Amino acid sequence: MDYDFSFFLVLGTFVTGIVWGVYALMQRYRLVEAGQPEPVLVEYARSFFPVVLIVLLLRSFLVEPFRIPSGSMMPTLLVGDFILVNKFTYGVRLPVLNTKIIENGAPERGDIVVFRFPKDPTVDYIKRVIGLPGDRIGYYNKQVFVNGTAIKQTPLGVYSGGSQGGSMDGEALLNEELGAVHHDILVRAGEPSAREGEFVVPEGHYFVMGDNRDNSNDSRFWGAVPEANLVGRAFFIWMSWDSGKPGIAFNRIGTILE
């Protein structure tokens, strides 16, 4: 069990609900004097219980906010982007226990997913789904192969991402087609790939990669992501902070993620 923010939300909801509920029962059965001032603890519990409960329900079953801390998903996501993740796209899970209680759908090739890092489930990662269960994924000379077929890449020139991605300026920018999903990637042209080879995706797992191909710690290095580790699908940038200016990157707010 991971003692993360979800754990403390559940604990807070439980404690405030119990305190408020017990005092309400005491009033009902006249175990407290009529007209007696409400204890401070009960007053706080009554005030905070509905707020904590609503936050718990929204965060656990609908959407959860995340902040992008690294450049592994550039140029799609930049450091300082604040995103929303759909929590019910791949099924509804209980908070803290992460047990799925409602089946809803499965990741598709090209989805941007947030998941608990298999090597350390207390850490959340974000990558793009490349391989589905049973797929044979190859990666050679900066090129992705799915079941023996090369994924189409179209050169777009040289990347120039400004202050939020300045360290990647000069890398090759390409557009990649994963079925119906067209997205941009970055590669270091003329340099060998850090990891090449062929990988078979086990059943119940997903092969993920960062869009910043030569600057991403992903399935090429530590294997596929178990379905049980999925958190949700990233779908929207609601805020972006450009630390290089510093200031808000208004042009990124409202971006729908593909």
Side-chain angles (χ1 to χ4, degrees), residues 24-254:
L25 287 174
M26 292 175 65
Q27 287 181 313
R28 179 177 180 179
Y29 292 104
R30 303 180 185 280
L31 298 178
V32 294
E33 296 182 10
Q36 178 178 329
E38 191 174 71
V40 174
L41 180 61
V42 175
E43 183 179 349
Y44 275 115
R46 177 171 53 81
S47 300
F48 282 107
F49 173 73
V51 176
V52 178
L53 177 61
I54 291 173
V55 172
L56 174 65
L57 293 175
L58 287 175
R59 189 179 184 274
S60 300
F61 304 122
L62 295 178
V63 295
E64 183 174 355
F66 287 88
R67 179 183 180 276
I68 302 302
S70 74
S72 70
M73 280 297 293
M74 291 174 58
T76 307
L77 292 169
L78 305 182
V79 176
D81 283 345
F82 291 80
I83 64 172
L84 292 179
V85 172
N86 186 321
K87 297 295 291 287
F88 59 85
T89 298
Y90 306 136
V92 177
R93 298 179 184 273
L94 293 175
V96 182
L97 298 177
N98 296 311
T99 302
K100 184 181 288 188
I101 55 175
I102 299 177
E103 294 285 348
N104 191 30
E108 298 180 359
R109 209 183 317 278
D111 284 1
I112 300 175
V113 296
V114 172
F115 56 92
R116 296 187 304 281
F117 182 38
K119 300 295 185 181
D120 182 0
T122 64
V123 178
D124 291 319
Y125 269 33
I126 182 167
K127 305 292 179 186
R128 189 180 297 275
V129 174
I130 303 295
L132 305 179
D135 280 348
R136 181 166 45 89
I137 304 298
Y139 190 69
Y140 300 99
N141 194 28
K142 319 287 185 177
Q143 177 77 56
V144 173
F145 296 81
V146 177
N147 298 322
T149 301
I151 297 300
K152 183 179 178 181
Q153 295 179 341
T154 303
L156 299 177
V158 176
Y159 178 70
S160 178
S163 57
Q164 281 180 272
S167 62
M168 300 299 115
D169 285 353
E171 294 202 358
L173 179 65
L174 302 95
N175 184 265
E176 188 174 75
E177 300 181 19
L178 285 171
V181 178
H182 294 206
H183 64 101
D184 293 344
I185 64 171
L186 295 177
V187 298
R188 290 176 181 166
E191 294 186 17
S193 301
R195 187 69 176 270
E196 294 187 334
E198 191 164 278
F199 315 85
V200 177
V201 186
E203 288 300 319
H205 289 69
Y206 296 88
F207 191 93
V208 299
M209 296 176 68
D211 289 349
N212 192 353
R213 292 290 159 79
D214 293 309
N215 294 276
S216 175
N217 180 28
D218 52 39
S219 289
R220 292 171 291 176
F221 301 93
W222 39 258
V225 178
E227 189 275 339
N229 285 48
L230 296 175
V231 173
R233 180 177 181 272
F235 69 96
F236 186 74
I237 298 176
W238 64 272
M239 175 59 69
S240 184
W241 184 262
D242 187 345
S243 59
K245 292 182 181 178
I248 298 173
F250 289 100
N251 63 312
R252 297 190 59 75
I253 297 176

